[in-house]
Amino acid sequence: MGYYRGEHGYLLMEAVVAIFIVSTALVPISGLFTQALHTIDIAVEYTTATALAQEQIELFKSKDDLFWDNIIFPYQVGPESISGTDFKQTVRAEICSLDPQYPVKQRIIRLSVHVEHLGGRQVTLVTYVLRELPQFLQ
């Protein structure tokens, strides 16, 4: 292979410069992947917490008449750990402050479920339920 005078080592220098440029470009891209994985973990925690809270709301709304006949407001359960998860939940039911309170059995109940991950992230879902409560019959 014939080299021209003064060309020894240019191929090696070009390869080193190309590797430096490519590695300089890849470092920020790898940082984006790390940030994306962290964001996915946060999204999974929020989604799981929201699903757990929604499930608890549905369970609470489906309670039988015996439960609703004997409930005392404000009602609170928790904070308690949810088995098999790293979450704690608190359920709270209270008569809504906007309830007109005229002499009927139906009351607007504010139901809130607070779910907290042990890492500190938390979700609170609030819904309103209209129920007949015999203890308010006048």
Side-chain angles (χ1 to χ4, degrees), residues 44-126:
V44 166
E45 287 177 9
Y46 278 121
T47 304
T48 304
T50 303
L52 290 169
Q54 183 64 40
E55 179 183 5
Q56 190 61 37
I57 284 174
E58 296 304 321
L59 286 172
F60 196 85
K61 286 169 41 176
S62 67
K63 298 271 189 192
D64 61 358
D65 289 337
L66 182 63
F67 172 82
W68 289 105
D69 290 348
N70 297 311
I71 191 170
I72 298 172
F73 293 100
Y75 173 84
Q76 182 166 333
V77 176
E80 59 187 17
S81 295
I82 302 172
S83 62
T85 66
D86 294 335
F87 293 91
K88 287 187 175 187
Q89 71 181 7
T90 304
V91 179
R92 182 169 173 80
E94 57 194 359
I95 300 296
C96 179
S97 60
L98 300 175
D99 190 69
Q101 297 183 10
Y102 28 80
V104 293
K105 290 194 301 186
Q106 290 184 335
R107 288 289 185 249
I108 300 172
I109 300 166
R110 181 182 188 267
L111 175 62
S112 62
V113 178
H114 179 79
V115 178
E116 183 173 352
H117 188 263
L118 297 180
R121 291 178 182 76
Q122 50 193 346
V123 171
T124 302
L125 294 184
V126 176

Side-chain angles (χ1 to χ4, degrees), residues 118-137:
L118 297 180
R121 291 178 182 76
Q122 50 193 346
V123 171
T124 302
L125 294 184
V126 176
T127 189
Y128 294 89
V129 180
L130 182 64
R131 289 291 304 195
E132 287 189 5
L133 301 172
Q135 62 264 43
F136 289 101
L137 184 60

